[in-house]
C-alpha cells in the first residue's frame, strides 16, 4: 500500500564519477542496481554532569555509507567502474571517486533539468561477487570521505554546481 507523501526511491538519482582524470564524467547508477541504501551513521558524544540525572548528547560528525547490491550489467558504465575496482583489487586513491545524489522531486526554480543535489567524495569497497541462479552480482559499500557538498545537478549536461558557484553563460 502506497502512502501519499512518502518519498519514492525513484525520485533520488545517484550519479558516479567514472573519469580517471580531473574532468568529472557522471554516469547514472540505475539499471543493474537492486539496492543502494544511504546510512548517514551519525557519530555522537554523551556527557553527564554530577548534578544531572540524565546525560546530554550531541552529534559530532558522520560516517556515511551507501550499501549496494547490483547485477553485473557490464554495459552500464557505473557498474563496470565499480566491478573493475573489486576485480583489480584497487586501493587508496585508485578506489576513490565522487558521487552526486540528486533529488528529482526538488527542481531548481526557473532552470530546466536542474535539481537540488549533494556531492560526496567516496571510496568504493567491493565486498563480494555473487552468483544468483547463474547471474553474477556485485555487493559492497560506498564509503563517505570528508564532508558533503550541497549544490545543484543538471541531469541533461550531467554537471554539478556547488552552492555559491555560478555558471557563466
Amino acid at each position: 500500500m502506497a502512502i501519499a507523501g512518502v518519498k519514492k526511491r525513484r525520485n533520488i538519482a545517484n550519479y558516479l564519477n567514472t573519469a580517471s582524470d580531473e574532468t568529472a564524467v557522471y554516469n547514472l547508477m540505475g539499471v543493474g542496481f537492486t539496492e543502494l541504501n544511504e546510512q548517514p551513521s551519525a557519530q555522537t558524544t554523551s556527557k553527564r554532569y554530577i548534578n544531572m540525572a540524565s546525560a546530554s548528547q550531541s552529534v559530532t560528525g558522520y560516517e556515511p555509507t551507501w550499501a549496494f547490491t547490483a547485477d553485473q550489467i557490464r554495459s552500464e558504465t557505473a557498474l563496470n567502474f565499480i566491478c573493475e575496482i573489486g576485480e583489480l583489487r584497487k586501493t587508496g586513491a585508485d578506489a576513490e571517486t565522487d558521487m552526486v545524489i540528486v533529488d528529482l522531486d526538488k527542481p531548481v526554480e526557473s532552470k530546466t533539468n536542474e535539481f537540488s543535489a549533494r556531492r560526496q567524495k567516496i571510496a568504493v569497497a567491493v565486498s563480494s561477487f555473487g552468483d544468483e541462479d547463474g547471474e553474477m552480482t556485485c555487493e559492497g559499500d560506498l564509503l563517505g570521505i570528508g564532508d558533503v557538498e550541497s549544490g545543484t545537478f543538471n541531469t541533461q549536461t550531467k554537471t554539478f554546481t556547488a552552492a555559491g558557484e555560478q555558471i557563466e553563460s
Side-chain angles (χ1 to χ4, degrees):
M1 175 175 85
I3 305 292
V6 176
K7 188 173 186 119
K8 304 289 184 212
R9 178 61 177 96
R10 67 178 176 264
N11 287 330
I12 301 170
N14 297 74
Y15 287 83
L16 189 69
N17 179 5
T18 58
S20 57
D21 58 17
E22 292 185 23
T23 305
V25 177
Y26 290 106
N27 286 280
L28 181 64
M29 299 169 73
V31 173
F33 286 87
T34 56
E35 289 187 40
L36 182 58
N37 300 313
E38 182 175 1
Q39 295 119 8
S41 300
Q43 304 300 296
T44 61
T45 187
S46 176
K47 186 124 193 170
R48 186 181 64 78
Y49 293 103
I50 61 171
N51 65 330
M52 299 169 87
S54 300
S56 296
Q57 299 181 72
S58 65
V59 175
T60 57
Y62 292 87
E63 267 185 50
T65 302
W66 290 262
F68 69 86
T69 302
D71 293 327
Q72 284 193 38
I73 301 174
R74 299 306 282 265
S75 59
E76 291 295 316
T77 306
L79 265 171
N80 191 56
F81 181 85
I82 288 170
C83 289
E84 284 183 357
I85 287 173
E87 290 167 346
L88 300 175
R89 311 298 195 260
K90 293 181 179 182
T91 61
D94 293 335
E96 295 174 0
T97 190
D98 61 285
M99 176 177 59
V100 176
I101 303 111
V102 182
D103 287 306
L104 297 174
D105 57 353
K106 295 181 182 176
V108 176
E109 199 172 307
S110 73
K111 299 233 177 166
T112 305
N113 301 316
E114 202 155 319
F115 302 88
S116 178
R118 301 172 280 146
R119 180 169 58 186
Q120 175 77 56
K121 186 171 176 71
I122 59 166
V124 178
V126 177
S127 58
S128 70
F129 294 116
D131 175 356
E132 296 288 329
D133 284 334
E135 295 181 337
M136 296 302 294
T137 62
C138 178
E139 293 184 20
D141 295 299
L142 307 176
L143 309 171
I145 300 171
D147 293 331
V148 69
E149 182 178 26
S150 63
T152 61
F153 189 80
N154 186 304
T155 56
Q156 185 173 15
T157 63
K158 296 182 182 174
T159 53
F160 177 82
T161 303
E165 285 183 21
Q166 288 190 336
I167 298 176
E168 296 179 23
S169 10

